[in-house]
Amino acid sequence: MNLYSFVLMALMGVPGSGAKVQISWTGDVTAGFSTTFTCSSSCSPNCIYTWLLKDRTVKGSTLTWTPDGRENTVDLQCTVLNPETGGFSSTISTVEIKNPLSVQVSPPNTVPFLKQALDLVCHQDKSGDLQEPSNPIWFKDGQKVTLRNNMQLLQNNLTLHFDTPLPSDAGFYQCETSLRQTRVLSLGYLLSFDLWNVTISGPDTVFLDRLYQFTCLSSCILNDDCTVKWHFKSGFPIGTYFSVHRNVLKWTPSRPGTFQNFTCIAENAAAGRSAQTTKMVEVKGTPLSGSQTGQLGGLPTMILSLGLLMLFHS
């Protein structure tokens, strides 16, 4: 396997601390599989290593983590503190996650039509040593699927069958099952009877100092011909963290009492077609107090905020 060192270098802390920090790992990061990340630095012995992953902190120079498939990227931060000098340095790596589980239409490349029988299959990539998934749970738009008269579960729940799909059956479908003793949520399938339907998943209300993810979903499969662009008609999102990777947008808001509009445009230049949608998000809440900040795991406030600002301005 190849050694991945997907690293954003950032020298921070007390001037002259001089410790460079790097995060590295071996092979792909895959949902259902554990990966060990190593944080290395030029800091002198007895330095303290602290990881920040999804608002959870872990001490030590290594971190072992098994993704559950709910994200396709995560931001992993390692901070090194020299207790003798009080100096610290930090770096953030954006980790891309492969998901061997997906929802696919069957037969492949079937174009969904109203009132024409359709199968959605909980499919697992055959690479690796995973066993066949069994008895998955199905979700539509984030809620557990409730079977109706025109729906059936077949093949140990691996297939969600529609006798005669209705307009109300349109939505974003996912399946969840156990892979290597870890519950994994699959990549999703947007069932739409309009091939150029576009929607944005994510909350309508957000709170300060929390990281949120918004995903632009379209039946237009992303490739060289089909692209996704984000527009901000009401102004650029204000926050301590912001990133865009293809059709995924991540944002940590910092201004309460405001509204943010996200517009996603899916375009196929070769076909001369495009579609767009806009989602309005309300920002609520008050800034974290000192005691509340401690609940994020005990990192010094300056380390956390500097790390986010360094990534935001990179």
Side-chain angles (χ1 to χ4, degrees):
M1 292 185 290
N2 295 325
L3 181 64
Y4 286 76
S5 299
F6 191 23
V7 179
L8 172 64
M9 302 298 295
L11 184 63
M12 301 166 47
V14 177
S17 59
K20 293 183 178 179
V21 184
Q22 178 173 306
I23 297 173
S24 61
W25 61 94
T26 300
D28 293 326
V29 180
T30 304
F33 289 80
S34 64
T35 297
T36 297
F37 301 88
T38 301
C39 185
S40 57
S41 75
S42 57
C43 186
S44 60
N46 302 321
C47 287
I48 301 172
Y49 291 82
T50 302
W51 296 91
L52 177 63
L53 172 64
K54 299 170 61 176
D55 290 340
R56 179 171 62 94
T57 58
V58 177
K59 299 291 186 180
S61 60
T62 62
L63 169 70
T64 300
W65 177 56
T66 303
D68 58 12
R70 281 167 171 74
E71 302 93 4
N72 54 15
T73 63
V74 295
D75 295 318
L76 183 61
Q77 177 176 338
C78 177
T79 300
V80 184
L81 173 67
N82 187 329
E84 296 179 359
T85 65
F88 62 88
S89 297
S90 182
T91 191
I92 298 176
S93 286
T94 299
V95 180
E96 295 196 9
I97 302 168
K98 296 179 63 176
N99 195 331
L101 201 63
S102 62
V103 171
Q104 299 181 3
V105 65
S106 180
N109 302 319
T110 298
V111 177
F113 289 102
L114 291 172
K115 300 183 180 180
Q116 180 174 307
L118 176 73
D119 286 340
L120 297 182
V121 177
C122 187
H123 173 81
Q124 177 198 299
D125 186 347
K126 298 302 181 183
S127 62
D129 59 353
L130 296 179
Q131 297 178 350
E132 283 285 342
S134 61
N135 296 315
I137 300 172
W138 286 86
F139 295 90
K140 174 190 173 187
D141 298 330
Q143 302 296 319
K144 188 175 179 180
V145 168
T146 300
L147 293 181
R148 301 189 303 199
N149 292 336
N150 68 325
M151 304 164 64
Q152 301 177 57
L153 286 173
L154 306 174
Q155 299 178 321
N156 292 326
N157 295 359
L158 289 177
T159 298
L160 179 60
H161 173 78
F162 298 86
D163 293 324
T164 53
L166 303 173
S168 57
D169 292 322
F172 187 65
Y173 286 84
Q174 294 172 284
C175 61
E176 182 186 61
T177 189
S178 293
L179 300 180
R180 302 189 70 180
Q181 300 181 339
T182 298
R183 296 295 295 180
V184 173
L185 185 67
S186 74
L187 299 173
Y189 177 82
L190 180 62
L191 177 60
S192 171
F193 305 104
D194 174 3
L195 294 183
W196 282 90
N197 181 46
V198 178
T199 185
I200 298 175
S201 69
D204 296 324
T205 302
V206 297
F207 297 89
L208 296 186
D209 302 313
R210 299 181 187 178
L211 182 64
Y212 294 91
Q213 176 171 307
F214 300 87
T215 305
C216 181
L217 306 168
S218 172
S219 298
C220 175
I221 300 174
L222 297 184
N223 52 36
D224 291 339
D225 294 325
C226 183
T227 60
V228 163
K229 297 178 181 178
W230 293 90
H231 287 193
F232 311 106
K233 297 180 179 179
S234 61
F236 196 80
I238 297 176
T240 55
Y241 180 88
F242 178 84
S243 70
V244 170
H245 179 72
R246 299 187 72 183
N247 65 327
V248 176
L249 182 153
K250 294 183 179 182
W251 176 46
T252 301
S254 63
R255 180 176 291 180
T258 58
F259 292 85
Q260 178 64 49
N261 287 328
F262 296 123
T263 297
C264 172
I265 302 174
E267 181 179 24
N268 188 322
R273 300 192 63 180
S274 67
Q276 71 177 52
T277 188
T278 298
K279 183 181 186 69
M280 184 173 69
V281 180
E282 181 181 5
V283 182
K284 292 185 176 182
T286 56
L288 292 175
S289 66
S291 60
Q292 289 173 311
T293 302
Q295 295 173 6
L296 294 179
L299 273 181
T301 303
M302 183 164 55
I303 295 178
L304 190 58
S305 60
L306 280 175
L308 293 172
L309 287 172
M310 182 66 72
L311 182 63
F312 179 72
H313 289 297
S314 63

